[in-house]
Amino acid sequence: MRFFDERRLQLLRWVSERYLAPLSVVIERSYPPRVAGEERAPAGRPGEAGAGHAERGRPQPAPSSGVLARYGEPERLLEAGSVTWLRPLPDDEALVCVEAVGACAAAGRQGLVLVPEAEPLPATARAVLDAFGDRAVFFAGGDERTRYRTWLDIQSGRHDVVVGTRPAVFAPLNALGLIWISREAHPGHREERSPTYHVREVAVARARLEGAACVLASLSPSVETAVLAERDDVRVARAPRSLERAAAPLVETTAPEAEDRSPRLTRLLRSSRTAALIVSRRGYGVARICRTCGAAARCSACGGPIVAEGGEARCAVCGLEGRCSTCGDTSFGLEPGGTERMAEWAARVSPSGIEVGTAAMERNAAHAHAGRRHGASTRTAAAGGRDRSVGRRVRCARPSEAGCPCGRGVRRDPAAGGPRRAARRAEAGFAPTHPVFRIAGQPPLEERLCGAGAETVLATTLAERTVCLAAVRPERLAEFRRDVLRLVVEGIADRVEAEPQIS
């Protein structure tokens, strides 16, 4: 059974060429595994998966709250072939997405909403599914039969709106009018299997091929989106600055001797029923000086910092009892501050229980997981639960008398950091708009990739095995692809992976 027409084949060819993947692999991964029995099964009844607007005639738009107008003219946002980065206000994205999809459906077109994860179901996905009822379908997860049945129903035109994760970018919608990418900077939008495509790039390419609008929604844009917006290759839709400022969370810096406390925080805690306090370090304080010899406090075993926690001093690195590396004594002068110290203070100022902990964001943790766990810590604590990350460290700068590094790093406009991050990547040889590939094989792989037109090549060789990270200028991608295929035929390269995560 064929799952693509000539227009869809154009998209699949583009993916094959852009990500250096065989066209056969791209086609195979663009639809769920076939279950022949479902092709003979009757379509779903109304109210079931597979039921849609085919039985009810022209779809009606979802109720409008008028929130879309905050971001400019809806007609401009939904203009065919346009790509727009939209920065929603906190808690606004679901409403804006529902209105945009509703306007698209009212014009007789179909909508595709892509979210980075299925569990837990993002608020935007839930809002769209609730607003459109049977006219919408969720395409993510499930067994092979369910996924294939849903795919057939989408292809038959039974749904106006498809909500899903990465594979849904290829959903067979024949009257596509809008592709909405929720949290476009989220690392979950990158496919881990071959072809290792990025949803953002595929969605933009599909929108332009099929005359649809593509909206990249996020509070802070990815580096790639920020660069394209700076070049005017991507439009920008934002609420007025007065609304952004009013909706922005309060950020306050304090002097070191204040131990991360302030009169405003005290008032808030006294008036709050529940609260979550995320502190930058664990314990009651950090040992700074040995009371006996006056030397700087360091662990006698490993030289690590000594932390006062649970009523005793221990090394934060090796966990042994804290002893001075100079005289061996165990009496230290402390710089107070940490989860225990903050919890002690919060118990005095607040009549209700306050959960105090640190976010699990160690230096060796992946940024994606760190961000999710930080959010989970906050939500769990606010709900009165206890998160497993309590007692671990978060890496952040502390205020100093000469100036507050934290304060300098906090901006009301997170989009402003994109060009700076892009400049750092370009300086390292991996400009955000240049395709990047991880290629593995045998020597002389590095030399051959340089000769193939790679702008930058970083290589590691161990035991006759070479792994290279190569960046290519977009205009040289076709030539580079031909040369890499030649290396594969010659046995010099045996694995090619596109778009490895670079922060």
Side-chain angles (χ1 to χ4, degrees):
M1 186 171 183
R2 186 174 179 178
F3 292 101
F4 55 86
D5 53 18
E6 188 60 37
R7 186 176 55 178
R8 200 67 42 75
L9 181 59
Q10 278 186 275
L11 176 65
L12 300 178
R13 289 189 186 279
W14 181 91
V15 174
S16 172
E17 294 170 2
R18 166 62 182 83
Y19 296 100
L20 305 192
L23 180 59
S24 59
V25 173
V26 176
I27 293 174
E28 180 183 4
R29 294 288 167 79
S30 68
Y31 61 88
R34 184 184 181 194
V35 180
E38 286 299 316
E39 296 169 7
R40 298 187 295 271
R45 297 188 299 275
E48 297 179 342
H53 76 274
E55 293 86 356
R56 293 184 296 279
R58 184 181 178 84
Q60 297 299 314
S64 173
S65 63
V67 70
L68 184 59
R70 294 176 180 172
Y71 302 90
E73 298 178 2
E75 295 78 9
R76 178 174 170 80
L77 190 68
L78 299 176
E79 185 178 328
S82 66
V83 182
T84 305
W85 171 61
L86 184 142
R87 183 177 191 253
L89 298 177
D91 301 323
D92 246 14
E93 186 191 349
L95 293 174
V96 179
C97 182
V98 168
E99 279 202 36
V101 174
C104 177
R109 306 294 296 274
Q110 297 169 311
L112 175 59
V113 178
L114 301 169
V115 293
E117 55 195 354
E119 289 291 340
L121 186 65
T124 299
R126 173 55 60 195
V128 172
L129 293 170
D130 289 346
F132 292 92
D134 293 340
R135 293 154 50 197
V137 66
F138 186 54
F139 182 66
D143 57 28
E144 289 187 357
R145 183 174 294 276
T146 299
R147 288 176 61 80
Y148 192 62
R149 176 71 265 163
T150 303
W151 185 267
L152 293 176
D153 290 340
I154 296 170
Q155 187 181 45
S156 68
R158 291 181 175 273
H159 298 288
D160 308 317
V161 181
V162 174
V163 180
T165 52
R166 296 180 302 273
V169 73
F170 298 107
L173 295 167
N174 297 318
L176 186 61
L178 171 66
I179 304 177
W180 183 286
I181 303 181
S182 175
R183 292 185 288 168
E184 63 93 14
H186 196 288
H189 283 305
R190 177 183 180 263
E191 177 58 59
E192 297 295 333
R193 304 179 304 167
S194 179
T196 50
Y197 59 84
H198 198 289
V199 163
R200 178 184 58 249
E201 292 191 342
V202 178
V204 169
R206 181 174 183 182
R208 287 173 172 162
L209 284 171
E210 300 188 23
C214 182
V215 175
L216 313 174
S218 61
L219 292 176
S220 180
S222 63
V223 178
E224 291 78 7
T225 299
V227 170
L228 294 175
E230 192 176 35
R231 296 178 180 176
D232 292 327
D233 292 332
V234 168
R235 298 174 178 177
V236 176
R238 300 177 62 164
R241 284 298 276 151
S242 58
L243 289 179
E244 288 192 336
R245 289 191 180 98
L250 176 66
V251 176
E252 184 178 15
T253 60
T254 60
E257 58 270 18
E259 297 183 27
D260 299 326
R261 309 171 194 172
S262 72
R264 181 184 283 109
L265 178 60
T266 302
R267 291 194 300 271
L268 289 173
L269 289 181
R270 284 174 175 165
S271 62
S272 299
R273 295 178 57 190
T274 61
L277 295 178
I278 307 300
V279 186
S280 61
R281 63 188 183 194
R282 68 194 190 196
Y284 196 86
V286 177
R288 294 303 185 194
I289 191 170
C290 175
R291 293 186 184 276
T292 302
C293 68
R298 290 286 184 271
C299 174
S300 59
C302 71
I306 297 174
V307 177
E309 187 172 10
E312 58 184 14
R314 290 195 171 274
C315 176
V317 177
C318 65
L320 294 178
E321 181 185 11
R323 290 187 175 276
C324 176
S325 59
T326 301
C327 68
D329 199 36
T330 59
S331 178
F332 301 98
L334 296 180
E335 177 189 332
T339 53
E340 293 179 3
R341 176 81 168 181
M342 184 64 77
E344 180 183 81
W345 170 75
R348 292 198 304 267
V349 302
S350 174
S352 58
I354 302 296
E355 189 76 22
V356 180
T358 61
M361 296 175 67
E362 294 91 340
R363 182 172 300 172
N364 61 348
H367 292 299
H369 295 299
R372 284 196 292 268
R373 294 182 69 176
H374 176 271
S377 299
T378 306
R379 291 190 296 272
T380 303
R386 182 172 296 277
D387 187 75
R388 288 177 296 177
S389 64
V390 169
R392 306 175 77 174
R393 301 184 65 190
V394 57
R395 309 284 180 177
C396 73
R398 288 181 56 79
S400 64
E401 295 181 359
C404 177
C406 285
R408 290 197 298 270
V410 175
R411 298 185 61 93
R412 288 186 180 271
D413 185 2
R420 291 196 302 273
R421 299 199 305 272
R424 289 197 298 268
R425 289 222 342 223
E427 185 179 357
F430 295 90
T433 56
H434 291 186
V436 179
F437 302 90
R438 182 184 291 113
I439 304 174
Q442 312 296 326
L445 179 62
E446 180 181 3
E447 292 79 3
R448 294 291 298 273
L449 289 177
C450 291
E455 181 78 4
T456 304
V457 177
L458 295 180
T460 299
T461 300
L462 180 65
E464 297 301 317
R465 181 74 174 167
T466 299
V467 178
C468 296
L469 201 62
V472 186
R473 288 185 176 276
E475 61 271 19
R476 303 197 64 177
L477 183 58
E479 175 188 347
F480 182 77
R481 184 178 189 273
R482 288 193 298 269
D483 289 343
V484 169
L485 291 178
R486 189 176 299 114
L487 294 178
V488 172
V489 172
E490 295 176 10
I492 296 176
D494 54 39
R495 182 178 179 83
V496 179
E497 178 185 355
E499 292 299 316
Q501 294 290 344
I502 296 179
S503 58

